[in-house]
Amino acid sequence: INWACMATKACENCGACLSGELVDQVSRQSHTTVITVFYIDLQIIGKEFRNFTQKLSNRIKFTQGVASEILSDREDGKLTIIHEDETIGVRTAQHFDLIILSVGLGASENVEELVLKLGVKTDPWGFLSQSQSDFPKGIYAGGTARGPMNILSAISQGRIAASRIINDLDIAANAYGKFQVAVVGGENEAVSVANALVQKGYPVVLIDSGKMAFLKDEHLKYLSNARLVSVEGTVGNFVLGIANAEGKHKEVAGAIVVATGFTQLQPENIVFSDQVVSLELFKNYPDKKIPAKVTFWIDYSGPENKNNAGIILDMAISLADEGKTAYILMEKMLVHGLLGQKKYDAARKAGVKFLRTTENASVDFTVEADKVKLYYEDITLPGMKIFVYSDMLVISEKIAPPENTLSVSAVLNQPIDTEGFIQSPNSRYRPVASPRKGIFFAGSCHDESDGDDLTAEIAAILTGLESLGKNGPRDGYPAWILENECRKCLTCLRVCPHRAVVLFRSNKPRIIPEACFECGLCVSNCPAKAIRQEAFSNEKLVEKVNEAETFIFACERSAFLAEHEAKRLGLELNKKVHIQPVRCTGRIGIENMFAPLLKGAGRVIVAGCHEGNCRSMGSNIFAKRRIVCF
């Protein structure tokens, strides 16, 4: 099967082809499927998306450019795409069995009516304003009503809106406690987080590995030249071991926010001069020293970074507004969100010249007298070298994880991703949370981040802190240990992915309810069967077994949702199939798999999340191993 996807907008949210999920699933399930993706710009932004796209490129073909025609007059039923092949410079015809047209998102048709009725404001593209101050009191918005965004961002906005409603209407069931929050980091991002927390009434201890000027506040404790050396306890009662020049001491915090920023690696094999400078140096150049023609090379040091792209766009626009000439050389122009699109549009309108090349193209430069001679192969003119002369070449640094990432991740027991940044790419916890309750991430220490992203992340963290600080009885079904039956083997301590098990006197383990994610992994792994979980006991899990039926243990956050979706679509479910929801398939032990069969079920299925997407990290893998053994 030949399968093509037309990505006709330079937009990270244009559809399945750029999110990769649909293409990935199709290519995995059929080794005979030939997939081609036509695109203008790939917005490869976000945690591990570069790595994912690279893997995907081994199975599918990415073709830059948009088809000029789509024809359907072939006798064999195939569709034909007429496209200019940039490698040979001629128009070609490619034939496909299926073509998917992926279009960009636009504002809702009834948004103008809403604006008139509700008195809200819109942005230049007709979406509802991103600023809450543009909404009358009592009106809130979230999701793609405010512009193109991915699912994770829409979920986060929904939570933030719900939190604002609860606070504005004062309808919280219980009062919120304002516990101390530890912020790890000392650069601008950490300071912004600390300031926002203090303004909301949270006492803050700022743990800075360096030393920078910081505005003093009575609710803020600032520790300079300090590092986090240990973290014990759980959410609401973390005990932090901190070392600095004054020695070691402890702080108690209800939550921890990691905002250690990023580090910049200088471009390699470059001899800097008055004509060739780094982006960081150019930021501080006095206006009178900036020459008439400047070329920015975005991706010399590695893949494009949206933060650098945004900075370069701003600088290029400023130069163009001053009557100077600005060139931008890149493989991809990362236009992130509406603000990024606005900058890009402004740059084009101002006369900034964009030079597009490809990964395998020859690009180099020489310094001749007081000029920089850049020569490259343009993507639209393959095989032909283009020469660009300018007075200065600005090369951006590589954005890399901060130097203390490994030590911080080890102390907090948090994974790092394939590029070395802290935080798991697991979508259950992004954008800011972690599999250990009370630990959050903000800024560029864990993902590509600009000012708008940081503002959104701070709002999401504040929402998370409010839910953690809620007083009163706890909802849900956390596990607990029967002390008289516990043999202190500490299996529960080892297998808990959320650090909800702590040791008390005589090395007796205890599960902290506030830190428990209710996955049941400790229940199914306890050799002494000394751990219980209300509503998910062995008896209740199989009480609805009927003879000669298929019995399915389904994760309530993945497979079980399929039942609801089927009902919504009006599909009739097989009456001989029973779907038993569980918090996580890690709860299902071998005895649970046997039980339905012993009660007469025809077969047992355990349906969980795919690897890398389990809320309890590797619990689904535990279940898979048991099934293989079973």
Side-chain angles (χ1 to χ4, degrees):
I1 300 174
N2 283 341
W3 189 83
C5 180
M6 297 289 294
T8 58
K9 290 281 186 179
C11 168
E12 63 172 338
N13 305 286
C14 76
C17 62
L18 296 194
S19 68
E21 289 299 329
L22 181 57
V23 175
D24 185 44
Q25 291 300 317
V26 172
S27 62
R28 283 179 184 274
Q29 294 177 23
S30 175
H31 296 292
T32 61
T33 301
V34 179
I35 302 174
T36 302
V37 174
F38 297 88
Y39 69 95
I40 294 179
D41 253 325
L42 287 178
Q43 295 297 290
I44 304 178
I45 297 172
K47 199 166 190 69
E48 296 215 322
F49 197 29
R50 277 181 291 272
N51 182 57
F52 176 75
T53 306
Q54 183 61 41
K55 290 181 178 178
L56 204 59
S57 65
N58 296 328
R59 305 202 302 269
I60 69 174
K61 179 183 178 182
F62 286 102
T63 301
Q64 201 278 335
V66 176
S68 58
E69 291 181 88
I70 300 178
L71 307 177
S72 59
D73 56 354
R74 286 177 60 89
E75 293 182 359
D76 57 6
K78 290 184 180 292
L79 299 170
T80 300
I81 287 181
I82 305 299
H83 177 262
E84 183 171 334
D85 190 327
E86 72 276 5
T87 60
I88 57 178
V90 299
R91 285 163 60 90
T92 62
Q94 298 185 50
H95 310 298
F96 299 92
D97 300 291
L98 175 66
I99 295 176
I100 295 177
L101 301 179
S102 180
V103 297
L105 295 177
S108 174
E109 293 179 356
N110 65 347
V111 69
E112 294 183 3
E113 181 181 352
L114 280 175
V115 168
L116 293 175
K117 288 182 177 180
L118 302 180
V120 299
K121 295 182 180 179
T122 60
D123 63 22
W125 294 276
F127 293 101
L128 297 182
S129 173
Q130 294 284 336
S131 175
Q132 186 61 36
S133 62
D134 289 334
F135 289 74
K137 187 176 182 180
I139 296 178
Y140 309 84
T144 52
R146 284 186 153 177
M149 67 180 62
N150 55 35
I151 294 173
L152 293 177
S153 297
I155 292 173
S156 181
Q157 283 201 5
R159 289 173 177 159
I160 293 169
S163 176
R164 285 173 175 166
I165 293 170
I166 291 172
N167 289 330
D168 291 349
L169 297 182
D170 194 23
I171 57 175
N174 301 285
Y176 292 105
K178 299 291 186 180
F179 44 72
Q180 178 165 269
V181 179
V183 177
V184 182
E187 298 297 328
N188 293 334
E189 292 176 341
V191 172
S192 296
V193 172
N195 272 330
L197 295 176
V198 168
Q199 290 173 12
K200 289 294 183 179
Y202 289 94
V204 173
V205 53
L206 182 62
I207 305 169
D208 180 11
S209 59
K211 188 178 181 65
M212 61 177 294
F214 188 79
L215 181 63
K216 301 295 182 182
D217 189 284
E218 61 178 344
H219 298 293
L220 189 142
K221 184 184 296 184
Y222 176 60
L223 304 177
S224 63
N225 293 321
R227 58 190 178 91
L228 191 64
V229 295
S230 66
V231 174
E232 300 175 354
T234 58
V235 57
N237 191 35
F238 287 116
V239 180
L240 282 61
I242 302 169
N244 60 8
E246 300 174 1
K248 294 182 179 180
H249 67 283
K250 295 185 180 297
E251 289 282 347
V252 176
I256 302 169
V257 181
V258 180
T260 48
F262 60 88
T263 189
Q264 293 183 324
L265 302 181
Q266 289 296 321
E268 298 179 355
N269 304 320
I270 291 290
V271 178
F272 290 110
S273 62
D274 291 339
Q275 287 76 37
V276 182
V277 301
S278 69
L279 178 60
E280 190 65 25
L281 180 62
F282 187 76
K283 289 180 187 177
N284 301 315
Y285 249 58
D287 291 342
K288 61 182 180 181
K289 288 189 64 177
I290 298 177
K293 290 184 179 181
V294 178
T295 299
F296 297 92
W297 191 346
I298 288 185
D299 59 350
Y300 173 87
S301 301
E304 299 86 347
N305 177 276
K306 76 169 188 180
N307 193 39
N308 281 347
I311 292 171
I312 288 173
L313 279 175
D314 284 334
M315 290 179 172
I317 292 170
S318 297
L319 293 177
D321 290 343
E322 295 171 5
K324 298 178 180 180
T325 301
Y327 301 95
I328 297 180
L329 175 67
M330 80 289 181
E331 289 179 28
K332 307 175 190 70
M333 188 68 246
L334 298 187
V335 182
H336 177 71
L338 294 179
L339 179 60
Q341 185 66 50
K342 187 175 182 180
K343 288 182 180 180
Y344 180 69
D345 293 344
R348 304 255 328 182
K349 186 176 181 180
V352 175
K353 304 180 186 303
F354 292 90
L355 315 175
R356 183 185 294 274
T357 185
T358 63
E359 181 180 0
N360 299 320
S362 173
V363 183
D364 208 345
F365 70 93
T366 57
V367 178
E368 301 177 358
D370 57 349
K371 297 289 183 181
V372 177
K373 179 183 178 182
L374 178 74
Y375 42 97
Y376 75 104
E377 292 182 25
D378 195 276
I379 194 170
T380 59
L381 298 170
M384 183 181 298
K385 283 191 176 181
I386 307 297
F387 297 90
V388 177
Y389 292 87
S390 58
D391 302 307
M392 179 177 287
L393 176 62
V394 180
I395 299 178
S396 60
E397 292 85 354
K398 181 179 180 179
I399 302 298
E403 295 179 357
N404 63 346
T405 296
L406 288 177
S407 61
V408 171
S409 67
V411 168
L412 296 176
N413 190 39
Q414 295 298 309
I416 58 176
D417 62 24
T418 55
E419 293 186 328
F421 290 89
I422 197 169
Q423 190 192 34
S424 165
N426 191 326
S427 60
R428 303 291 183 180
Y429 299 103
R430 294 184 59 214
V432 298
S434 78
R436 191 174 182 183
K437 286 187 180 179
I439 295 179
F440 301 92
F441 307 97
S444 48
C445 68
H446 73 114
D447 207 349
E448 292 185 60
S449 179
D450 56 24
D452 286 346
D453 295 322
L454 183 62
T455 299
E457 289 180 348
I458 290 173
I461 290 171
L462 288 170
T463 298
L465 291 176
E466 288 179 353
S467 64
L468 294 177
K470 186 169 66 172
N471 297 318
R474 188 183 184 279
D475 298 329
Y477 305 98
W480 77 92
I481 299 174
L482 299 175
E483 291 190 18
N484 293 334
E485 298 183 20
C486 177
R487 298 294 181 264
K488 297 191 291 188
C489 67
L490 305 186
T491 297
C492 55
L493 181 71
R494 291 190 294 272
V495 302
C496 179
H498 309 294
R499 292 287 173 151
V501 182
V502 298
L503 292 181
F504 280 80
R505 293 182 299 274
S506 302
N507 285 333
K508 282 192 173 183
R510 181 187 297 178
I511 299 172
I512 306 301
E514 292 77 15
C516 179
F517 278 76
E518 307 169 17
C519 65
L521 191 62
C522 58
V523 180
S524 61
N525 277 275
C526 178
K529 306 301 178 187
I531 306 178
R532 301 289 186 270
Q533 189 177 20
E534 187 179 347
F536 293 97
S537 65
N538 290 343
E539 295 77 18
K540 289 185 178 181
L541 285 175
V542 295
E543 64 183 1
K544 295 184 179 180
V545 174
N546 293 316
E547 291 186 5
E549 73 167 8
T550 297
F551 192 88
I552 302 176
F553 292 110
C555 174
E556 65 180 14
R557 293 180 177 84
S558 56
F560 184 64
L561 298 177
E563 180 185 30
H564 292 278
E565 182 64 10
K567 290 179 178 179
R568 187 187 71 81
L569 296 173
L571 300 177
E572 186 174 344
L573 301 180
N574 191 325
K575 295 180 180 179
K576 292 186 177 181
V577 175
H578 174 72
I579 301 177
Q580 174 63 45
V582 292
R583 282 285 195 264
C584 177
T585 52
R587 167 64 183 86
I588 306 303
I590 293 179
E591 70 278 7
N592 303 120
M593 299 179 198
F594 268 118
L597 298 175
L598 295 175
K599 295 183 70 172
R603 60 177 175 172
V604 176
I605 297 174
V606 181
C609 308
H610 63 269
E611 292 187 18
N613 195 40
C614 178
R615 185 169 181 255
S616 294
M617 306 304 284
S619 293
N620 55 343
I621 300 176
F622 270 97
K624 185 176 180 179
R625 289 173 182 167
R626 291 184 186 128
I627 292 172
V628 172
C629 294
F630 179 49

